[in-house]
Amino acid sequence: MLALAYAARVGGNVMWVQEGWQGQQIHPHGVSDFLDPARLTLSLTQGPLETLAVAEEALRSGAVSLVVLTPSKPIGLTEGRRLQLAARDGAATGLALIADGAGSNATETRWRATPIFDAEGGRGDSTLQRWDLIKNKSGTLGVWHVRWDTASRRLSVVSPAGK
Amino acid sequence: MFDGIQRRVVSLWFPRLASDRALRVWPLAGPFVLTRKEQNANRIYCLNPPASAQGLEVGMAYTDARAFCPDLQSRGADPEGDQRFLLALRRWATRYCPWVGLEGRDGLVLDITGSAHLFGGEAMMLEDLQRRLARAGLSVRIGLADTRGAAWALARHGQQGRNGHCSIAEAGQMLAALAPLPVAALRIEPQVALGLERLGLRYIRDLAGAARGPLTRRFGPGLLRRLDQALGQQPEQISPHTDPPHYGVRMTLPEPIGLLADVMAGTDRLLRQLCSKLKTQEMGARVLCLTLRRVDQDQQQVELRLARPLRDAGRILPLFERGLGEMDAGFGIDQLRLEATVVEPLPVEQLSHVSDGGQDRLDDLISRLGTRIGLDNILRFLPADSHIPDRSFVLAPAAYSQPAGGWARHQPRPLVLFRPEAIAGTGPRPPQRFRWRRMSLTTGRASGPERIAPEWWLEDENWRSGLRDYWRVETREGRRLWLFYTPQNPGWFVQGEFA
């Protein structure tokens, strides 16, 4: 959700890189709440090395504004730095969806998105989430409670529930 | 005839084209036939002179032919191959004149007006033609006349002269040359020829002398039109075939090169030539093949598949970089050859100030990634007409599809979809507590059910369990999951997660 919310905000084309064997797949009808699925291109790769190569190429090209990758192994320092340089050349953003604790030190920011049960029983069309900015090289950390508004296609920040 | 130039037309007839072609590949002595299956019987399609001498003919059943001639050898006919061979002959025949057309399945027609003197006159030219064809192992009959019709008649029905297989009509003497030929030489239907013979009009001289009105009333205008065309009183065109454009360029170097920058510069020159060629034909290359010949006669190929037809050298060149970087130049490369092996029409487009949303750059990116992971692995979502969630979209290769809209959505759908994962639970209501992916979850709120029936007209392994009642379950732990219950085959499964 974080990835798609960001994609919806920046506009442009999105490249989603994942390894071919990963059974989990994004569902375009679910994506259509956030952005037009026609803007989404999916690359299926053979392994972690190809994933990184494709992500680097896509970032550098400048044709896409966001590259989402789902690496199966933690990204090393060198690889992370290369991705960063590529992203700077192409003026694009790279976003890696990683498991907890598998972050790379090269990254600019790191977020943790945690879904939260909405006790007040909101509208039920999107999950209430708590976004923690847990690493930021050029600023301060923070916590936000957010919810995606499907109708207006924007993110709304809500006050923490039950506090 | 027209503006004072005497037209001269040569008609070539290859009566044994198919068998000559087969014997060229695999020479044989003795009777030989090509057979073809027609109406469940093997029939003779073409035969060589020794077989004709044995009394065999075209159209005869092969079993009968074997009875006549026990030492008969045969092979299957290949009419498409023969047609290709005839096209090759047509191309060869342009050495005599530029105006060469096909005449039926086994003939060529050459308009040699004004080109005979290059070979020392008509007789010398025909002799040369005949000698070369004989050396190629082809039997040919040649007719030379002022018109296409007369040349055809002389080739097929003419008295073949002393030097074998040529019959020549003197310029302007068409009627005299055609007069002794049978009426069938006028390219008319067999029934018409038979009808004329019944009337006693056996030869063209009889027909030319007959009254035109009754003939037209009886046989239609076609007969006299053919006669007039043969005699040159009505014009008849020869349509020359054009060679299909060839999208290949090459460059031979005086000194071998080996540096990547040099090879790229050479490729750049070739690409510019090729692209200007593509531009004149309004075509775009889809697959390019660059062949590098090394000094030691070894060849290496770089194949480039593009995400869309292109003819812009500046955009194609950087795509070669990756493939060329992997090449081993050995002792140097002395020939480069670039060919567009697959081309597609690419009409000229109006430039406009409206941006196309970076589509060009995205296509370039897809080509570039395609060379690494294969174009089939770069996919795009297209809507599909199905109410089954996992079949409501298709993944199509992005290089061969256009983005499509129309993502109608009536019910909330999860963002992430996976194969159904079984959880413990009973009853038609979602379980109060369940374990999924080693997490212990508690149902906080559930909405549903949304019943989805399988598509009975399609066989699908995953839907063997029958109907599904889908529930959206908000867990106390935060995650919103898409659960379903199969009432016909009780069980609970998780299939997706909402955003």
Side-chain angles (χ1 to χ4, degrees):
Chain A
M1 171 178 159
L2 190 146
L4 287 167
Y6 183 76
R9 180 164 165 74
V10 295
N13 292 311
V14 180
M15 170 74 78
W16 195 287
V17 189
Q18 71 175 37
E19 288 170 29
W21 53 266
Q22 288 174 342
Q24 189 158 318
Q25 207 180 41
I26 46 173
H27 187 55
H29 283 284
V31 171
S32 63
D33 282 346
F34 294 88
L35 71 160
D36 182 10
R39 279 165 48 195
L40 200 64
T41 312
L42 184 71
S43 296
L44 300 179
T45 60
Q46 300 284 338
L49 200 65
E50 265 193 5
T51 307
L52 290 172
V54 167
E56 187 188 4
E57 192 85 50
L59 282 170
R60 180 160 289 139
S61 71
V64 290
S65 53
L66 176 67
V67 178
V68 183
L69 62 159
T70 54
S72 53
K73 286 203 292 189
I75 301 177
L77 205 55
T78 321
E79 292 88 346
R81 182 70 187 140
R82 270 187 72 162
L83 287 178
Q84 236 172 33
L85 293 174
R88 194 182 61 194
D89 290 351
T93 310
L95 188 63
L97 303 181
I98 52 170
D100 212 359
S104 162
N105 277 334
T107 177
E108 196 68 28
T109 57
R110 190 178 309 133
W111 296 75
R112 179 189 289 132
T114 324
I116 292 178
F117 179 62
D118 189 359
E120 289 157 19
R123 293 182 311 279
D125 58 349
S126 72
T127 314
L128 184 65
Q129 292 205 347
R130 173 194 159 104
W131 288 2
D132 296 52
L133 181 52
I134 54 176
K135 176 183 176 182
N136 190 354
K137 276 190 177 173
S138 53
T140 55
L141 307 182
V143 179
W144 294 267
H145 283 71
V146 294
R147 170 194 288 288
W148 180 257
D149 191 343
T150 310
S152 61
R153 287 204 176 189
R154 53 189 282 277
L155 204 62
S156 47
V157 179
V158 296
S159 59
K163 281 177 193 166
Chain B
M1 187 165 64
F2 304 114
D3 52 59
I5 297 172
Q6 182 64 52
R7 253 180 116 198
R8 296 295 275 168
V9 177
V10 172
S11 182
L12 301 180
W13 181 39
F14 304 100
R16 302 179 195 280
L17 181 72
S19 65
D20 284 344
R21 186 175 79 92
L23 289 172
R24 259 163 65 88
V25 181
W26 186 20
L28 282 175
F32 171 77
V33 294
L34 289 176
T35 60
R36 192 174 179 211
K37 198 147 195 167
E38 282 170 15
Q39 294 174 349
N40 272 344
N42 256 342
R43 294 191 178 273
I44 294 180
Y45 177 74
C46 192
L47 69 178
N48 72 346
S52 301
Q54 298 265 355
L56 310 185
E57 17 177 89
V58 173
M60 191 181 221
Y62 178 57
T63 45
D64 295 349
R66 287 287 298 271
F68 273 112
C69 179
D71 58 342
L72 186 63
Q73 303 190 60
S74 76
R75 231 173 292 160
D78 174 18
E80 287 85 25
D82 295 335
Q83 203 54 36
R84 284 197 297 275
F85 184 55
L86 189 64
L87 285 173
L89 279 175
R90 187 210 67 79
R91 187 149 178 256
W92 167 80
T94 50
R95 72 193 300 279
Y96 293 102
C97 68
W99 212 259
V100 186
L102 295 184
E103 183 83 87
R105 267 189 349 186
D106 51 1
L108 295 176
V109 55
L110 289 73
D111 188 344
I112 58 160
T113 310
S115 65
H117 71 277
L118 300 172
F119 295 86
E122 287 172 353
M124 299 275 280
M125 182 181 192
L126 294 190
E127 200 175 304
D128 182 61
L129 190 66
Q130 212 165 30
R131 201 183 61 241
R132 284 173 191 273
L133 286 173
R135 201 169 60 199
L138 292 172
S139 58
V140 64
R141 290 166 62 114
I142 304 173
L144 170 62
D146 286 358
T147 62
R148 184 175 176 178
W152 192 92
L154 288 172
R156 261 106 171 146
H157 296 273
Q159 282 295 324
Q160 298 292 331
R162 53 179 170 71
N163 51 358
H165 309 288
C166 277
S167 65
I168 302 177
E170 295 300 319
Q173 305 291 319
M174 283 311 104
L175 188 55
L178 294 182
L181 301 185
V183 285
L186 285 176
R187 295 180 288 170
I188 51 178
E189 303 284 317
Q191 304 95 298
V192 178
L194 194 67
L196 285 171
E197 278 187 26
R198 286 209 184 119
L199 293 181
L201 301 172
R202 289 176 188 283
Y203 299 103
I204 291 179
R205 63 169 169 265
D206 304 335
L207 193 64
R212 297 174 68 91
L215 277 175
T216 310
R217 272 203 296 283
R218 173 141 187 187
F219 295 103
L223 171 65
L224 288 177
R225 194 183 68 233
R226 284 299 189 200
L227 181 66
D228 289 345
Q229 282 176 344
L231 297 179
Q233 285 152 5
Q234 271 193 34
E236 187 180 9
Q237 269 64 41
I238 295 170
S239 322
H241 264 244
T242 49
D243 287 319
H246 175 69
Y247 302 107
V249 286
R250 70 176 172 192
M251 178 162 65
T252 312
L253 304 163
E255 290 284 327
I257 56 172
L259 293 179
L260 182 60
D262 296 346
V263 180
M264 286 297 280
T267 312
D268 184 30
R269 278 200 218 171
L270 290 181
L271 258 181
R272 276 170 209 290
Q273 278 182 43
L274 184 68
C275 288
S276 65
K277 210 171 197 176
L278 287 167
K279 195 169 182 181
T280 52
Q281 303 285 344
E282 293 207 355
M283 299 294 262
R286 194 70 198 246
V287 179
L288 288 160
C289 184
L290 177 67
T291 311
L292 307 174
R293 202 189 64 192
R294 302 199 319 203
V295 183
D296 52 5
Q297 299 297 317
D298 189 23
Q299 282 198 348
Q300 288 179 310
Q301 288 195 333
V302 185
E303 197 185 55
L304 180 65
R305 293 173 170 275
L306 300 170
R308 55 175 274 188
L310 271 185
R311 56 160 177 259
D312 185 351
R315 280 173 65 189
I316 300 175
L317 186 66
L319 303 177
F320 269 115
E321 231 163 90
R322 184 182 148 79
L324 285 176
E326 290 171 354
M327 287 293 115
D328 177 15
F331 295 105
I333 292 161
D334 65 352
Q335 194 191 59
L336 306 169
R337 185 166 185 286
L338 182 66
E339 190 182 2
T341 44
V342 178
V343 290
E344 282 177 11
L346 177 62
V348 182
E349 274 176 21
Q350 174 70 47
L351 287 179
S352 127
H353 63 282
V354 181
S355 156
D356 59 353
Q359 194 61 36
D360 277 0
R361 286 194 301 174
L362 185 63
D363 286 333
D364 279 0
L365 173 65
I366 291 171
S367 314
R368 220 160 37 234
L369 294 179
T371 57
R372 182 181 264 272
I373 64 172
L375 280 179
D376 296 339
N377 287 326
I378 301 172
L379 305 166
R380 172 176 283 159
F381 293 106
L382 297 177
D385 193 10
S386 169
H387 63 272
I388 303 278
D390 35 9
R391 270 208 300 271
S392 59
F393 64 95
V394 286
L395 278 168
Y400 303 101
S401 58
Q402 288 297 315
W407 295 95
R409 192 184 62 101
H410 308 292
Q411 294 285 338
R413 288 284 177 257
L415 181 62
V416 179
L417 205 65
F418 32 82
R419 292 187 72 80
E421 295 169 9
I423 55 170
T426 51
R429 303 283 303 173
Q432 207 44 239
R433 296 173 163 279
F434 56 93
R435 285 185 71 79
W436 172 67
R437 292 192 180 176
R438 297 159 77 184
M439 284 183 287
S440 178
L441 300 170
T442 315
T443 304
R445 196 177 300 121
S447 51
E450 178 196 351
R451 175 161 288 192
I452 297 182
E455 293 177 325
W456 51 263
W457 54 93
L458 285 175
E459 187 71 12
D460 191 347
E461 284 284 319
N462 301 324
W463 285 76
R464 282 279 163 78
S465 52
L467 296 171
R468 293 180 179 182
D469 286 340
Y470 277 93
W471 291 79
R472 275 181 293 141
V473 171
E474 294 179 37
T475 61
R476 295 248 169 227
E477 285 70 23
R479 288 173 183 270
R480 294 163 71 235
L481 299 173
W482 211 34
L483 269 59
F484 69 85
Y485 174 65
T486 46
Q488 294 169 337
N489 211 345
W492 280 91
F493 301 88
V494 185
Q495 207 194 355
E497 186 175 356
F498 288 92

